[in-house]
Amino acid sequence: MPPLSNDIVLRALLREPVPYTPVWLMRQAGRYLAEYRATRARAGSFLALAKSPALATEVTLQPIDRYGLDAAILFSDILTVPEAMGLGLSFAEGEGPRFERPLRDEASVRALRVPPLESLRYVFDAVAEIRKALAGRVPLIGFCGSPFTLACYMVEGGASKDFGTIKSMLYKNPELLELILEVNVAASAAYLNAQIDAGAQAVMIFDTWGGILADGVYQRFSLNPMRAVLAQVQREKEGRRVPSIVFTKGGAGWIEEIAQSGCDAVGLDWTADLGACRKRIADRCALQGNLDPHVLFAKDSDIEREVEHTLTRFGEVGEGAGHVFNLGHGISQFTPPDAVAVLVSAVKSQSRAFHKVSA
Ligand code: CP3
């Protein structure tokens, strides 16, 4: 593999000095890009796209080519793992994910198994093909869903307003939920390790729904399983540390505990104050985030002002190490593509003043 010509994201995730604040965006390859919609139409569906290593490679590189972002993220989905467990995944147009066989009774939970990695081979093939296509331009981030967030979809059978089914299970029959989480932990750790073996250079755990949980319950049912995944993930590959990021949407209130989960960086949504979070964890981890994705609907000068606000919240001039710029959640499918170019160039030009290294 060629050496990385831009490894700024990897260094920032480890709080090493960098010349500017690196930037990538959650869901950076997606429907807001015309070239993504064209490739998706050729594939026939989102799942067919994700299951074709060649097409997944094509869409992973689209935002890199267009915007000069500092990292690529594997094009896939967190729900590939429960799909491989046999729950029957489909994506209905405009409705989000659906499982045909959600886990609703004890028998289906007891029958749940860690899927053979072979059934997810298309993901690892995509990782290898993306690394080759990137040719060292920027690092590739692999990912999985948190055990709890996966369980939300596995139990509810799809998106949900109040997660009433899984929360009832949690309080009525916690042992049953723990059985699901145990399988999800083992599957997620094996899945991330196989992505790292195939070439992923950093990994991120997406905990989209941990933030719906009560204090105390979050630690037991979402954070602890993520800690167990991280404990099993390999930390070094190709002679370098593979940094890990934990993102609990709505999780800023628990940042001290998240920062002690074994991750190198904590992802934050837009409700968090980056500066206050940084102080609370005494710089133990890097921080990733946290611009509101809807800022991208504002006019250029307002986007630039919001970027400045985010950079300034993280740290004063000369103190910017340990920040990876991102949105606070995935980019909206209705985002005007030109707004992303404005964002990326604002981060790159404004952030130099926040770093001591000029190299
Ligand atoms: O960030 C990236 O660019 C990498 C690819 C990626 C996707 N999904 C592609 C995708 C990643 C990292 C995910 C993670 C994911 N998937 C999460 C966690 C992050 C988050 O957004 O909270 C969750 C909860 C899912 C489950 C999921 N997948 C949902 C709820 C949906 C439907 C939502 C929607 O926008 O319609 C998906 C589908 C999906 N995953 C799309 C993309 C680009 C849109 C599918 C399409 O092209 O129609």
Side-chain angles (χ1 to χ4, degrees), residues 330-351:
I331 192 167
S332 153
Q333 62 169 308
F334 305 110
T335 304
D338 288 345
V340 175
V342 172
L343 168 75
V344 172
S345 107
V347 174
K348 291 198 176 183
S349 60
Q350 292 183 30
S351 67

Side-chain angles (χ1 to χ4, degrees), residues 7-345:
D7 66 353
I8 293 182
V9 160
L10 298 184
R11 285 193 272 145
L13 287 171
L14 298 174
R15 291 171 298 118
E16 294 170 7
V18 286
Y20 64 87
T21 304
V23 52
W24 71 276
L25 309 177
M26 291 190 267
R27 290 273 178 96
Q28 61 192 21
R31 285 168 293 189
Y32 73 107
L33 291 176
E35 57 269 37
Y36 170 86
R37 295 193 298 270
T39 311
R40 185 177 179 276
R42 266 200 285 143
S45 69
F46 167 69
L47 269 181
L49 174 54
K51 288 186 175 185
S52 156
L55 296 180
T57 299
E58 192 176 302
V59 296
T60 299
L61 266 72
Q62 285 168 350
I64 308 298
D65 291 338
R66 202 195 246 255
Y67 301 117
L69 295 153
D70 292 297
I73 180 160
L74 161 71
F75 186 81
S76 190
D77 199 84
I78 63 167
L79 301 178
T80 53
V81 171
E83 198 223 10
M85 292 170 176
L87 272 58
L89 176 64
S90 61
F91 285 89
E93 196 64 53
E95 273 183 41
R98 279 254 137 255
F99 282 112
E100 227 173 281
R101 293 175 288 281
L103 303 175
R104 286 290 165 81
D105 51 37
E106 183 158 350
S108 59
V109 172
R110 294 207 179 272
L112 195 69
R113 294 286 175 275
V114 175
L117 282 180
E118 202 42 46
S119 58
L120 291 157
R121 164 98 1 234
Y122 66 91
V123 176
F124 316 130
D125 288 347
V127 169
E129 197 165 330
I130 296 163
R131 273 296 298 277
K132 220 183 285 160
L134 283 170
R137 284 163 67 190
V138 290
L140 175 62
I141 301 169
F143 68 88
C144 67
S146 78
F148 177 74
T149 292
L150 294 183
C152 284
Y153 290 99
M154 294 161 77
V155 170
E156 298 286 343
S160 164
K161 264 209 180 75
D162 63 358
F163 296 90
T165 315
I166 190 163
K167 287 180 88 170
S168 306
M169 180 191 273
L170 187 156
Y171 289 113
K172 257 184 9 203
N173 201 346
E175 301 77 28
L176 210 52
L177 179 55
E178 277 185 329
L179 277 179
I180 302 175
L181 295 173
E182 230 171 80
V183 175
N184 288 353
V185 165
S188 303
Y191 185 57
L192 287 183
N193 280 327
Q195 290 182 36
I196 295 168
D197 281 337
Q201 290 150 300
V203 291
M204 174 153 166
I205 304 181
F206 284 91
D207 186 29
T208 308
W209 301 121
I212 67 164
L213 294 174
D215 181 45
V217 177
Y218 166 74
Q219 288 85 339
R220 175 172 169 199
F221 291 96
S222 187
L223 185 59
N224 277 345
M226 291 196 280
R227 189 195 312 276
V229 172
L230 289 170
Q232 293 175 56
V233 168
Q234 48 185 328
R235 293 310 170 114
E236 266 203 27
K237 188 72 192 179
E238 301 170 57
R240 278 190 89 135
R241 185 168 176 90
V242 180
S244 56
I245 310 157
V246 166
F247 171 59
T248 293
K249 183 164 178 280
W254 299 299
I255 188 159
E256 291 89 348
E257 290 156 282
I258 298 173
Q260 288 175 42
S261 66
C263 62
D264 297 294
V266 180
L268 291 164
D269 68 56
W270 59 85
T271 62
D273 173 345
L274 288 180
C277 284
R278 183 180 184 180
K279 285 198 188 80
R280 281 166 59 192
I281 62 167
D283 274 319
R284 259 195 313 274
C285 285
L287 298 179
Q288 176 174 282
N290 69 339
L291 194 74
D292 187 332
H294 284 93
V295 166
L296 292 168
F297 292 85
K299 59 177 193 291
D300 294 0
S301 56
D302 290 332
I303 297 173
E304 288 160 355
R305 196 198 58 230
E306 292 294 334
V307 164
E308 185 186 356
H309 175 77
T310 305
L311 292 169
T312 310
R313 290 314 290 171
F314 179 77
E316 300 301 318
V317 171
E319 293 176 353
H323 181 204
V324 172
F325 203 100
N326 206 316
L327 302 176
H329 197 201
I331 192 167
S332 153
Q333 62 169 308
F334 305 110
T335 304
D338 288 345
V340 175
V342 172
L343 168 75
V344 172
S345 107

